[in-house]
Amino acid sequence: AAGMFLRLLSDVRWRAANAKWRRMTCSWRSTSSTAEPHPVSLPAQAQVVICGGGIMGTSVAYHLSKMGWKDIVLLEQGRLAAGTTRFCAGIVSTARHVSIELKMADYSNKLYQQLEQETGVKTGYVKTGSISLAQTQDRLISLKRIASSLNVMGIPCEIITPKQVAQLHPLINIHDLVGAMYVPEDALVSSANVSLALATAASRNGVQIHERTSVSHVSVQKGCVTGVETDRGQIQCQYFVNCAGQWAYELGHSGEEPVNIPLHACEHFYLLTHPLKEPLASNLPTIVDPDGRIYIRNWQGGILSGGFEKNPKPLFTEGRNQLEIQNLQEDWDHFEPLLSALLRRMPDLEALQIMQLVNCPESFTPDMRCIMGESPTVGGYFVLAGMNSAGISYGGGAGKYLAEWMVNGYPSENVWPLDLKRFGTLQSSRTFLRHRVMEVMPLMCDLKVPRWDFQTGRQLRTSPLYDRLDAQGARWMEKHGFERVKYFVPPGKDLLDLDQSKTFYKPDWFDIVGSEVKCCKEAVCVIDMSSFTKFEISSTGDQALENLQYLFSNDLDVPVGHVVHTGMLNEKGGYENDCSIARLSKRSFFMISPTDQQVHCWTWLKNRLPNDSTLTMEDVTWKYTALNLIGPRALDVLSELSYAPITPEHFPSLFCKEMSVGYANGIRVMSITHTGEPGFMLYIPIEYALHVYNEVMNMGQKYGIRNAGYYALRSLRIEKFFAFWGQDLDAFTTPMECGREFQVKLEKGMQFVGQEALLEQKQNGVYKRFTMFILEDHDTDMDLWPWWGEPIFRNGRYVGKTTSSAYSYTLERHVCLGFVQHFDEKTGEELVVTTDFINQGEYEIDIAGQRFQAKAKLYPFSSLFTHRRRKDEVELSGYQRE
């Protein structure tokens, strides 16, 4: 059976599909011979070298050649498509939670549909549709949220009843189902043949493809790729693309300058059967049963069924010594829970004859999202890997975005959720990756409720106050490997119950966060915000100021001691970073950025600052603990702890002063809180952190001080209409689109990056506007909550999505932030969004298919109305603009 399977799946299809391929490219070799000499020698140089001939490598080659780059060499250590791509289940599914992944899958589906016609290579494309089953109401809500996203993107999708499931797929047992999601345009393909079709088209466009050629290491000079060493000689090149799949990690570490690519392979099992007595129709929908942890598709009249077990088996891949992935050992005991789930879902299979249990490696990443982009340490070194078992769904779209990135300098969509630079070096520890992927693989099927956290690889980066806060009931989440407090559980609460509560509705921490917000409004709270990225930039002369003035949109030539909110923009005027910069002296600046900016911002600045010994930039994130003192009594607490006067006359808003607090000196105190509330940020040298925290808490007792967490911060900043980078702002969002013109000095006397794009927007108007929505007919206790990504409708037409949301304890309503666009009703063309367009619309927010009326605002509410009022007294339209 094993021999029959391998012949069936690879060699037979391989030869059939590749008669044309063999005639076309003389570097193709017999599938039976590994020692045959290479008829074509490698070129001495090329513009791009791609390592890996699976779906990712061939897709990148295809798209680069389509965009006009011809001097490309693709190297494959074995045969094309003989790695994970060869064993891939071939399911093309657009049902994705993350917007950018959904777009990639949709593009892939459309590409594969026409690929056979374009190349003449049979790809096995069949539009079968897919049905995702829900055994629980929570799962159905999750599917409804995905369906909302699919529908507004123009992808047909509907929520169906169990009876409709039985009509579409008669063999499915529906007795335990509450509903399902049907996506009629999902498809099946032969993934190896799709790869060969892409390679065929790329070859016709001038790409040279060489099999049986291993890359040993990548040469680097002055921080940039200069060439690759292979077992057949050297190739000089400007760009290197690592598409080596499960070997990408090792390949990244084999270069002269290591490139961290955090992924790890696990064994992945699926079952193949002989055809049924009445062979299954080729267009029968694929079944995804996440509660049963399995997927089921038609395979040549029989069944292909695999899944994601709760106890995955990680693989070690050191040495990259396996040229082509062979079928790993069968393990029926390990597969038994998935087999049981399959037989429960399709009881008629009991008598079916099993052909084989296939065991192949799949690569997984620490956050279940794929990895793409340029290395932060080596210029010209690009990566596309770690597909988390969705390689064929993402292959076309991911290759397109990476090709755009290489050719244009940026892709056509915001790919930050997938960017390699979202990871630091800490995520590349082998032990961390092994433990994390054992958690990630089961999570592929687990219910994704809002605000869930990984459990493995925790307590890696912590504040010096971690134990102190933990003892006081802190509940933790993780960002960029850094532990941050969500909220503090008061004494006497049922901790276990709270930790395990996962819901799309009102969460159990609602009242806890409410009391923290109340304390921020009425007294004083302390939030540990040590995870913020902190850089110091200084120079011997004016170089620091001159360079920062060019790289940032606001005017940094301010008096010493002043703090400036500013964007670090790209050429299109979009936010690469949103930060606060304090001028410590004439020649020294202190820059505070979001937590996940540590690698991205450092790389951006390093690539643009001159390599000048008189200019220094230091990452001081670990040197300072940051305490946010929020509330009207923060002034009183700080006044009692320091001799320096901090009244508004001596210490105005957006001011920075180095002072003593308690016994500790050298503390940088800034009059900002990142929430719109009064208070101070204290940047404390790390050795004084515990002392200062204890002093603040002791002194603050008489003012009602308490600890608070990031959930309270989120509620405060959202009701004040504060946008955060990574959630609301990204590389495709400009200050003009989100009401931040005041943070841009277009006439500051010198050019800055993005200036031309902003001037154009100022003259012509913007095509999207950051808007605040207050839900009006939403019952906080009974209705589903908005979180982020909900579609926004204006006068019944889709105009955008929410980017973040929170319950406002002040307004006693939910507040959503998001972008509104204006599309021409007939042509679909983007039109300028005016203030009148925003103000004159009737809005609804779609939460899992249910629409709620919302009031749109372009300005935050006045602080005159910040005291709590009963809902029936709140006249939202009566609020003043701030």
Side-chain angles (χ1 to χ4, degrees):
M4 179 165 73
F5 164 71
L6 287 171
R7 280 200 306 281
L8 196 61
L9 188 64
S10 62
D11 292 347
V12 173
R13 283 185 176 179
W14 199 272
R15 293 183 182 121
N18 291 293
K20 291 180 184 174
W21 173 256
R22 284 164 176 258
R23 287 198 297 272
M24 258 181 49
T25 168
C26 52
S27 65
W28 185 264
R29 243 151 344 280
S30 158
T31 54
S32 60
S33 168
T34 55
E36 218 173 293
H38 295 274
V40 176
S41 58
L42 294 181
Q45 60 186 56
Q47 184 183 10
V48 183
V49 171
I50 300 169
C51 176
I55 185 70
M56 293 303 147
T58 53
S59 179
V60 172
Y62 170 86
H63 285 97
L64 282 175
S65 67
K66 281 270 187 185
M67 294 181 75
W69 284 20
K70 306 295 183 189
D71 189 10
I72 300 167
V73 175
L74 187 150
L75 305 177
E76 163 55 50
Q77 61 178 352
R79 293 176 301 173
L80 280 179
T84 298
T85 302
R86 172 183 172 194
F87 287 98
C88 174
I91 300 168
V92 183
S93 167
T94 51
R96 306 287 163 187
H97 286 277
V98 182
S99 174
I100 187 66
E101 292 178 343
L102 197 159
K103 288 175 181 173
M104 288 197 305
D106 185 42
Y107 172 84
S108 299
N109 195 350
K110 291 181 168 78
L111 173 69
Y112 303 158
Q113 198 170 349
Q114 54 84 38
L115 203 55
E116 190 170 320
Q117 188 179 351
E118 180 187 340
T119 61
V121 177
K122 289 195 183 303
T123 57
Y125 183 93
V126 183
K127 192 176 285 187
T128 59
S130 73
I131 304 172
S132 299
L133 309 179
Q135 295 182 29
T136 66
Q137 286 299 334
D138 270 355
R139 176 70 68 183
L140 191 59
I141 290 165
S142 178
L143 294 177
K144 284 177 177 177
R145 288 179 65 89
I146 294 174
S148 290
S149 293
L150 289 171
N151 281 322
V152 295
M153 281 192 60
I155 300 169
C157 170
E158 60 179 312
I159 298 297
I160 59 174
T161 63
K163 280 186 179 176
Q164 288 172 297
V165 172
Q167 288 164 4
L168 289 164
H169 201 307
L171 295 177
I172 293 296
N173 173 14
I174 62 168
H175 80 277
D176 58 349
L177 301 182
V178 296
M181 178 177 71
Y182 178 46
V183 186
E185 294 196 352
D186 280 356
L188 295 177
V189 293
S190 160
S191 45
N193 290 351
V194 167
S195 237
L196 297 172
L198 292 168
T200 301
S203 182
R204 285 177 187 157
N205 282 332
V207 175
Q208 295 184 54
I209 298 175
H210 296 267
E211 296 173 290
R212 311 233 179 259
T213 307
S214 292
V215 174
S216 53
H217 79 273
V218 179
S219 306
V220 177
Q221 281 179 17
K222 295 180 180 175
C224 293
V225 168
T226 57
V228 294
E229 285 282 352
T230 77
D231 56 355
R232 293 175 55 203
Q234 191 177 33
I235 307 175
Q236 291 182 330
C237 63
Q238 296 165 259
Y239 297 93
F240 176 74
V241 188
N242 183 340
C243 296
Q246 65 164 332
W247 294 289
Y249 177 96
E250 328 292 340
L251 181 58
H253 279 259
S254 68
E256 294 167 7
E257 184 81 40
V259 173
N260 292 312
I261 304 166
L263 54 79
H264 199 298
C266 283
E267 296 182 20
H268 178 60
F269 296 87
Y270 62 78
L271 182 76
L272 290 165
T273 75
H274 288 285
L276 278 71
K277 282 181 183 172
E278 281 188 36
L280 291 179
S282 62
N283 61 349
L284 206 63
T286 297
I287 297 293
V288 180
D289 184 3
D291 297 308
R293 317 191 76 80
I294 55 169
Y295 56 83
I296 309 162
R297 58 155 285 194
N298 165 60
W299 189 73
Q300 298 189 357
I303 291 291
L304 182 159
S305 178
F308 300 95
E309 61 275 22
K310 287 184 177 179
N311 56 333
K313 297 168 72 174
L315 276 170
F316 278 120
T317 56
E318 274 77 352
R320 306 203 315 281
N321 51 4
Q322 231 179 324
L323 288 188
E324 293 162 17
I325 297 171
Q326 306 304 318
N327 187 21
L328 302 167
Q329 292 297 308
E330 290 187 350
D331 188 338
W332 283 103
D333 289 341
H334 191 77
F335 189 72
E336 194 277 330
L338 300 180
L339 180 59
S340 298
L342 170 64
L343 294 176
R344 276 196 303 275
R345 189 55 58 214
M346 295 181 74
D348 293 352
L349 296 188
E350 288 280 8
L352 200 62
Q353 193 179 357
I354 290 168
M355 183 183 284
Q356 187 179 11
L357 181 65
V358 179
N359 176 1
C360 65
E362 283 280 4
S363 298
F364 294 88
T365 63
D367 61 0
M368 292 192 291
R369 299 197 299 266
C370 76
I371 296 171
M372 71 160 64
E374 189 172 13
S375 158
T377 51
V378 180
Y381 191 120
F382 285 82
V383 178
L384 187 56
M387 292 296 139
N388 300 285
S389 199
I392 196 67
S393 291
Y394 298 154
K400 170 178 178 269
Y401 290 141
L402 194 79
E404 290 172 346
W405 203 328
M406 294 173 69
V407 174
N408 303 326
Y410 47 85
S412 57
E413 295 280 352
N414 172 35
V415 295
W416 170 249
L418 316 176
D419 194 327
L420 172 61
K421 292 186 281 295
R422 72 188 187 270
F423 295 117
T425 52
L426 58 95
Q427 280 99 350
S428 62
S429 144
R430 260 307 196 199
T431 308
F432 166 81
L433 288 171
R434 186 175 173 83
H435 288 173
R436 177 55 67 85
V437 298
M438 289 175 75
E439 179 184 10
V440 158
M441 194 169 162
L443 276 170
M444 302 297 290
C445 289
D446 286 355
L447 193 64
K448 313 288 190 313
V449 297
R451 313 265 182 271
W452 57 272
D453 300 291
F454 290 107
Q455 302 303 308
T456 51
R458 296 293 296 272
Q459 298 177 28
L460 202 54
R461 299 173 76 194
T462 59
S463 153
L465 306 177
Y466 180 87
D467 289 342
R468 187 92 167 73
L469 300 177
D470 199 54
Q472 295 178 77
R475 285 293 163 269
W476 302 92
M477 60 182 177
E478 169 251 339
K479 183 77 173 274
H480 203 65
F482 217 116
E483 295 293 330
R484 313 201 304 183
V485 182
K486 295 191 277 195
Y487 48 80
F488 286 83
V489 179
K493 270 272 183 186
D494 185 347
L495 307 190
L496 191 66
D497 192 41
L498 200 65
D499 283 343
Q500 292 180 345
S501 78
K502 294 184 171 126
T503 179
F504 291 102
Y505 291 90
K506 179 181 175 181
D508 287 354
W509 44 255
F510 179 81
D511 292 330
I512 295 173
V513 173
S515 60
E516 290 180 9
V517 168
K518 186 172 189 284
C519 189
C520 287
K521 295 270 189 185
E522 297 173 3
V524 56
C525 278
V526 178
I527 303 181
D528 183 344
M529 297 179 70
S530 303
S531 65
F532 270 170
T533 298
K534 301 173 276 287
F535 296 162
E536 278 180 15
I537 301 157
S538 54
S539 59
T540 53
D542 292 333
Q543 301 94 323
L545 176 64
E546 287 168 6
N547 282 286
L548 294 182
Q549 284 283 64
Y550 174 67
L551 292 172
F552 292 88
S553 60
N554 211 336
D555 190 356
L556 299 179
D557 194 2
V558 292
V560 170
H562 282 251
V563 182
V564 176
H565 282 312
T566 181
M568 182 175 84
L569 310 180
N570 53 38
E571 284 73 12
K572 303 187 302 296
Y575 279 99
E576 292 295 333
N577 183 13
D578 179 46
C579 55
S580 303
I581 298 180
R583 191 169 193 179
L584 302 178
S585 71
K586 284 280 187 190
R587 296 166 181 174
S588 176
F589 296 85
F590 185 50
M591 176 179 170
I592 300 111
S593 305
T595 304
D596 49 6
Q597 274 280 0
Q598 193 164 13
V599 177
H600 175 69
C601 181
W602 179 268
T603 309
W604 182 269
L605 290 173
K606 267 290 183 198
N607 289 342
R608 284 157 182 80
L609 289 172
N611 195 3
D612 185 345
S613 59
T614 62
L615 182 69
T616 58
M617 179 170 72
E618 185 186 0
D619 186 343
V620 294
T621 300
W622 62 274
K623 284 188 177 182
Y624 291 94
T625 295
L627 290 183
N628 196 349
L629 214 56
I630 302 179
R633 307 312 296 267
L635 182 67
D636 301 311
V637 175
L638 207 54
S639 294
E640 294 209 35
L641 287 171
S642 181
Y643 286 105
I646 55 167
T647 55
E649 306 86 65
H650 297 96
F651 210 124
S653 181
L654 292 177
F655 200 67
C656 172
K657 193 182 284 185
E658 203 161 277
M659 53 202 283
S660 301
V661 176
Y663 296 149
N665 53 26
I667 289 157
R668 292 172 183 170
V669 179
M670 300 186 194
S671 48
I672 52 173
T673 63
H674 306 283
T675 61
E677 300 295 330
F680 302 89
M681 284 294 303
L682 278 58
Y683 289 93
I684 308 157
I686 207 158
E687 63 268 32
Y688 300 143
L690 207 52
H691 168 75
V692 172
Y693 174 77
N694 289 337
E695 289 288 300
V696 166
M697 293 306 282
N698 291 336
M699 188 59 71
Q701 277 188 341
K702 60 185 174 188
Y703 299 108
I705 199 166
R706 64 177 289 172
N707 292 297
Y710 271 80
Y711 283 11
L713 186 89
R714 177 191 298 271
S715 175
L716 291 168
R717 72 97 177 167
I718 286 177
E719 74 177 22
K720 279 289 198 299
F721 205 8
F722 273 40
F724 268 27
W725 191 90
Q727 294 169 46
D728 310 301
L729 309 179
D730 59 43
F732 288 78
T733 310
T734 75
M736 303 299 182
E737 294 165 348
C738 57
R740 290 187 169 201
E741 296 92 331
F742 63 94
Q743 289 184 12
V744 176
K745 295 293 181 284
L746 290 168
E747 311 300 332
K748 64 177 176 179
M750 66 173 294
Q751 278 194 315
F752 61 86
V753 179
Q755 187 177 24
E756 283 183 27
L758 298 187
L759 283 167
E760 192 177 315
Q761 280 195 333
K762 187 177 181 183
Q763 188 177 342
N764 301 334
V766 295
Y767 290 94
K768 61 179 179 180
R769 269 304 273 278
F770 193 50
T771 310
M772 180 180 192
F773 297 95
I774 296 89
L775 296 191
E776 295 196 297
D777 58 346
H778 183 271
D779 186 323
T780 306
D781 294 320
M782 303 302 295
D783 288 328
L784 286 169
W785 273 32
W787 296 98
W788 60 82
E790 289 86 13
I792 302 164
F793 290 86
R794 178 188 181 275
N795 299 346
R797 289 175 58 83
Y798 171 68
V799 288
K801 281 189 175 181
T802 63
T803 51
S804 56
S805 67
Y807 181 79
S808 165
Y809 294 87
T810 309
L811 303 170
E812 297 187 327
R813 303 279 176 97
H814 255 100
V815 177
C816 302
L817 308 182
F819 285 91
V820 171
Q821 293 167 280
H822 184 188
F823 300 103
D824 186 283
E825 292 195 20
K826 290 175 183 169
T827 64
E829 180 192 355
E830 273 194 308
L831 302 173
V832 169
V833 178
T834 62
T835 305
D836 283 347
F837 179 80
I838 300 287
N839 291 336
Q840 291 169 11
E842 295 287 325
Y843 291 90
E844 293 171 305
I845 306 291
D846 178 320
I847 306 175
Q850 188 178 354
R851 295 190 190 181
F852 295 92
Q853 288 181 344
K855 181 90 176 169
K857 304 275 299 176
L858 285 170
Y859 301 91
F861 293 120
S862 167
S863 53
L864 294 171
F865 290 86
T866 53
H867 60 279
R868 289 168 68 99
R869 301 172 67 181
R870 285 173 49 225
K871 282 185 189 176
D872 53 13
E873 291 175 357
V874 176
E875 229 353 278
L876 292 176
S877 56
Y879 280 89
Q880 301 297 306
R881 289 180 178 176
E882 202 168 50

